[in-house]
Amino acid sequence: MTGNRVVIIGGGFGGLSCAKGLRGSGARITLVDRTNHHLFQPLLYQVATAGLSAPEIAHPIRSIFRRRPDITVLLDEVMDVDLDARLVRMRHNQPVGYDYLVLATGARTSYFGNDAWAAHALGLKSLEDAVEIRQRVLLGFEEAENSDDAGERERLMTLVIAGGGPTGVELAGAFAELGSRVLRRDFRRIDPRAAKVILIEAGPRLLPTFPEKLSQNALDELRRRGVEVLLSTRVDDVQAGQVHIAGRVIPAHAIVWAAGVAAAGLSGCLDVPKDRAGHLLVEPDLALPGFPDVFAIGDIASIKQPDGTQVPGVSPAAMQMGVYVADVIRARLRGAARAERPFRYRDKGSLATIGRHAAVAWFGPLQFTGYLAWLLWLFVHILFLIGFRNKAAVLLQWAYAYIFYRRGARVVFGRDWMEDDAR
Amino acid sequence: MTGNRVVIIGGGFGGLSCAKGLRGSGARITLVDRTNHHLFQPLLYQVATAGLSAPEIAHPIRSIFRRRPDITVLLDEVMDVDLDARLVRMRHNQPVGYDYLVLATGARTSYFGNDAWAAHALGLKSLEDAVEIRQRVLLGFEEAENSDDAGERERLMTLVIAGGGPTGVELAGAFAELGSRVLRRDFRRIDPRAAKVILIEAGPRLLPTFPEKLSQNALDELRRRGVEVLLSTRVDDVQAGQVHIAGRVIPAHAIVWAAGVAAAGLSGCLDVPKDRAGHLLVEPDLALPGFPDVFAIGDIASIKQPDGTQVPGVSPAAMQMGVYVADVIRARLRGAARAERPFRYRDKGSLATIGRHAAVAWFGPLQFTGYLAWLLWLFVHILFLIGFRNKAAVLLQWAYAYIFYRRGARVVFGRDWMEDDAR
């Protein structure tokens, strides 16, 4: 028999799936997160583009585990993990000892070493990020309405997105619709349809992990919506209100960085093998080499499939890893031997939406686009949202937006915007 | 004929009703607000108590007037009004001239001269206020869960509300339910039912503007819910985490000031007659004395009824004043003579909610309480919310909360809370 104290760091898809999977296992679980909520990240871009409001895609973690007296949720920040002493040190709480540790802190935005760009280009990994992007874009329109200067107006209504993966594509399509449809009649001096969305991708095609046919469809649909797509283009520099690419400086009020992620900060505290972006390299059973009771799951981990490909940093993968590790721990608590089957990621398909009635769907040999793909995307996302209330509220919000082209979550508030003329 | 430029300062109930009432009048309207949204203030306490999220009680002003090409909405701050030159000066825009001016900037929290208290006691007049209160209370529970110190835990779970009017009563009841019902199962180390809500009122009864029988009912219902109500008690001092009353210092993590309002800051720029709290004294037709084309409506104005009583600072009054002034201006634009009927406030009744199934309702000689009053309160507020989406979303949210005792809007986010140990 082993001790049954399980500490899970991170309340995202990985951590939550693991905690859920441990139900009835006899484990005494402590789950620590820096925020009080579980975030449905695939829909974070909806908050950034004023389609949904923050509470609709986030659910308080305590609320999720109300009926699990075996889970103690702590709102705290993990400062350090002592792998030898088996202790987790936090900012506010006394250190917590563990018998099994699950690291599930996810990813953070990476500027590929150009950390100075973080001050001018907003990432999209948290609710704060999404709300800040939304605020910046909406206030850009407001300031343009207030402005006399044509050049200034153009800059205020220009948005640059770096990164042509699903996040960048979804943002670009949604922002294009914001100007061309949602805000169209709201202003009297500016024409929101003149707003420019520029999507920059370093590689030769959008959605590089998708099949070429779907990449082309995404490109066509975005261009049809007026998005300027620049392929095979690297960002050379980002300054306040400016993006520098080869031979061109783009003045832009809002700049979003969706071009790279790296492992969350916690990986920096751990003296274990990692890849270049800080992801923790794990054994086939997702344990850290040399520490069989410490697991890393989700975006903080780096693991290859049997066929040599990397397990992608997507929500379904994190959930599968969480469930897998819960099974491993459950077996150990029952006294089972350590040899379990290795983790295998089951790719159940990929979806990316581009705009109204336009999405791409990929299920192995099956690829399709357009209205059907979009309906499927809608259905899948509603299904997976956590919590009844969120599902119904999101459905209602989307139904309304669909029928009336009206985006609900455009309310802006916060104390400092009026005084901050330098933004 | 007169010029037809109408400038409305403020997008609350007064300003909006006036703008709506001017439809088809031939006026060219500029409406200026410091925020981008119209706020349904009667439900602001719901955001503060995590019952509703901000976008559910606020609606973008531009969105409301999409189909009114005669209205130009500006997101800006009015710095000064030149009554002689008939100019409105703003922070970002060029000055705007007017033929008719409507001042509808509302009220701000007043600490009765003790402005230092503002740093420690949160008001409730804006979305930022409400979100800050909610965050403070929820994080108080979180910090208590993290704490080892019994005295500290007690302080962190104590909330003091100053002011026994409808706002204070509604806040007290809702916060009592937050601890006793909503959060009950969410924590493992603390018991949220031990949270203390203390309501302080300087006068001899709660809801002083209501009939005595209803005041008594509110008092009984709050005490039944575990709220400590201190009547005939003045607040002597407010410091960080402490409220001083006669002979007692109450350590409290969250302190809310719902005890006083004064006219919004704009009144300070105007050299016209005002009352002690800065409200602008107006003629029977709501115009400023000596400036027949400048009107003040809503909470910024002070006007007596024919029977000598003050028109109360409530939403229905602001709406009626807005409609009245719109009629006055419409008549002037048609060339009518200046003598119109004076403004008369029609008291259509008052409602205040205390908690689940408990409210007070007052319609002239008709007074009732309990479940029926609560149902009526619910009905009236749904009805008056602006915008279909908001109505349905709020209804859904409340239905869910009612059935499951679950508050939806408890997601907390914001960058600085973890580092701010001094709070």
Side-chain angles (χ1 to χ4, degrees), chain A residues 96-406:
Chain A
V96 169
Y98 63 83
D99 299 298
Y100 302 95
L101 178 64
V102 182
L103 304 167
T105 46
R108 57 180 174 79
T109 304
S110 166
Y111 297 86
F112 303 128
N114 300 297
D115 293 332
W117 294 356
H120 312 299
L122 305 162
L124 186 61
K125 290 302 286 175
S126 67
L127 280 180
E128 288 90 334
D129 288 347
V131 168
E132 202 173 336
I133 293 172
R134 176 181 77 197
Q135 186 147 324
R136 194 151 182 85
V137 171
L138 290 179
L139 293 180
F141 284 102
E142 294 287 351
E143 288 176 49
E145 180 85 339
N146 285 348
S147 167
D148 288 333
D149 184 322
E152 187 60 4
R153 282 183 167 178
E154 189 176 332
R155 187 188 74 78
L156 286 164
M157 299 205 293
T158 299
L159 160 71
V160 172
I161 301 165
T167 303
V169 166
E170 287 172 341
L171 281 169
F175 275 127
E177 282 180 357
L178 188 70
S180 66
R181 292 182 194 273
V182 178
L183 299 181
R184 197 168 47 158
R185 290 201 217 175
D186 283 21
F187 294 87
R188 301 286 173 264
R189 301 173 179 183
I190 60 167
D191 183 355
R193 289 172 298 181
K196 289 197 303 183
V197 178
I198 302 171
L199 179 61
I200 301 174
E201 164 59 30
R205 56 189 180 94
L206 297 177
L207 304 180
T209 58
F210 283 63
E212 276 205 46
K213 183 179 122 184
L214 300 183
S215 300
Q216 186 61 44
N217 179 267
L219 178 64
D220 295 339
E221 289 295 335
L222 282 181
R223 282 186 170 152
R224 229 157 51 86
R225 285 162 172 73
V227 175
E228 182 181 349
V229 182
L230 304 173
L231 298 170
S232 300
T233 303
R234 272 207 139 67
V235 170
D236 291 329
D237 195 17
V238 177
Q239 296 175 14
Q242 284 185 357
V243 178
H244 294 234
I245 57 178
R248 186 176 165 194
V249 173
I250 309 173
H253 173 70
I255 303 164
V256 178
W257 190 263
V261 290
L266 188 64
S267 92
C269 318
L270 300 162
D271 189 18
V272 294
K274 306 165 200 169
D275 71 6
R276 268 180 326 169
H279 301 289
L280 309 174
L281 302 176
V282 293
E283 302 282 353
D285 67 347
L286 302 185
L288 298 188
F291 297 96
D293 299 330
V294 179
F295 303 88
I297 61 176
D299 289 1
I300 199 177
S302 170
I303 180 162
K304 280 186 163 43
Q305 288 284 72
D307 67 359
T309 58
Q310 199 73 15
V311 172
V314 293
S315 324
M319 289 193 276
Q320 290 178 28
M321 287 193 239
V323 168
Y324 173 86
V325 165
D327 286 345
V328 170
I329 295 175
R330 184 188 289 270
R332 300 261 185 94
L333 290 175
R334 278 196 320 255
R338 270 189 45 214
E340 298 99 3
R341 55 179 177 81
F343 171 73
R344 284 201 61 163
Y345 171 55
R346 295 186 55 191
D347 189 337
K348 298 193 176 161
S350 300
L351 292 162
T353 186
I354 301 153
R356 202 178 178 79
H357 303 168
V360 297
W362 174 29
F363 301 91
L366 189 64
Q367 302 169 22
F368 55 103
T369 63
Y371 192 66
L372 204 62
W374 181 75
L375 278 180
L376 183 64
W377 174 89
L378 204 70
F379 174 75
V380 166
H381 282 80
I382 298 279
L383 205 70
F384 276 91
L385 276 175
I386 292 180
F388 165 81
R389 183 192 72 87
N390 273 356
K391 281 194 188 71
V394 170
L395 192 56
L396 186 76
Q397 183 96 321
W398 280 351
Y400 180 73
Y402 177 73
I403 295 168
F404 298 105
Y405 274 112
R406 298 259 290 276

Side-chain angles (χ1 to χ4, degrees), chain B residues 86-113:
Chain B
R86 294 174 165 254
L87 277 179
V88 174
R89 295 186 212 283
M90 294 171 278
R91 187 185 281 272
H92 297 277
N93 279 276
Q94 296 299 312
V96 168
Y98 63 84
D99 297 299
Y100 301 95
L101 176 65
V102 182
L103 305 168
T105 46
R108 57 179 174 78
T109 304
S110 166
Y111 297 86
F112 303 128

Side-chain angles (χ1 to χ4, degrees), chain B residues 38-49:
Chain B
H38 165 72
L39 181 64
F40 192 78
Q41 284 204 38
L43 288 181
L44 199 51
Y45 87 95
Q46 281 268 345
V47 173
T49 58

Side-chain angles (χ1 to χ4, degrees), chain A residues 36 62 65-66 68 71 75 93 128 132 142 146 186-189 389 397 410 412 414-415, chain B residues 36 62 65-66 71 75 93 128 132 142 146 186-189 389 397 410 412 414-415:
Chain A
N36 79 336
R62 296 190 176 288
F65 294 123
R66 288 162 81 245
R68 290 284 299 272
I71 301 181
L75 177 63
N93 280 277
E128 288 90 334
E132 202 173 336
E142 294 287 351
N146 285 348
D186 283 21
F187 294 87
R188 301 286 173 264
R189 301 173 179 183
R389 183 192 72 87
Q397 183 96 321
R410 290 166 40 202
V412 167
R415 296 186 182 286
Chain B
N36 80 335
R62 295 189 178 289
F65 293 123
R66 289 162 79 244
I71 300 180
L75 178 63
N93 279 276
E128 288 90 334
E132 201 173 337
E142 294 287 353
N146 285 348
D186 283 19
F187 294 87
R188 302 287 172 262
R189 301 173 180 183
R389 185 192 72 86
Q397 184 95 323
R410 290 166 40 203
V412 168
R415 296 185 185 287

Side-chain angles (χ1 to χ4, degrees), chain A residues 22-101:
Chain A
L22 282 169
R23 189 175 172 205
S25 64
R28 279 180 298 148
I29 302 160
T30 303
L31 190 149
V32 188
D33 196 292
R34 280 190 314 178
T35 71
N36 79 336
H37 54 271
H38 166 73
L39 181 64
F40 192 78
Q41 284 203 37
L43 288 181
L44 198 52
Y45 87 95
Q46 281 269 344
V47 173
T49 58
L52 293 174
S53 63
E56 282 162 331
I57 65 160
H59 206 79
I61 299 170
R62 296 190 176 288
S63 200
I64 295 170
F65 294 123
R66 288 162 81 245
R67 296 206 163 79
R68 290 284 299 272
D70 57 318
I71 301 181
T72 298
V73 177
L74 296 177
L75 177 63
D76 207 335
E77 188 175 2
V78 172
M79 309 304 291
D80 184 38
V81 176
D82 188 332
L83 293 169
D84 299 309
R86 294 172 166 253
L87 276 180
V88 174
R89 293 185 214 285
M90 294 171 279
R91 188 185 280 272
H92 297 277
N93 280 277
Q94 296 299 312
V96 169
Y98 63 83
D99 299 298
Y100 302 95
L101 178 64

Side-chain angles (χ1 to χ4, degrees), chain B residues 363-380:
Chain B
F363 301 92
L366 190 64
Q367 303 169 22
F368 54 103
T369 63
Y371 192 65
L372 204 62
W374 181 76
L375 278 181
L376 182 64
W377 175 89
L378 204 70
F379 175 74
V380 165

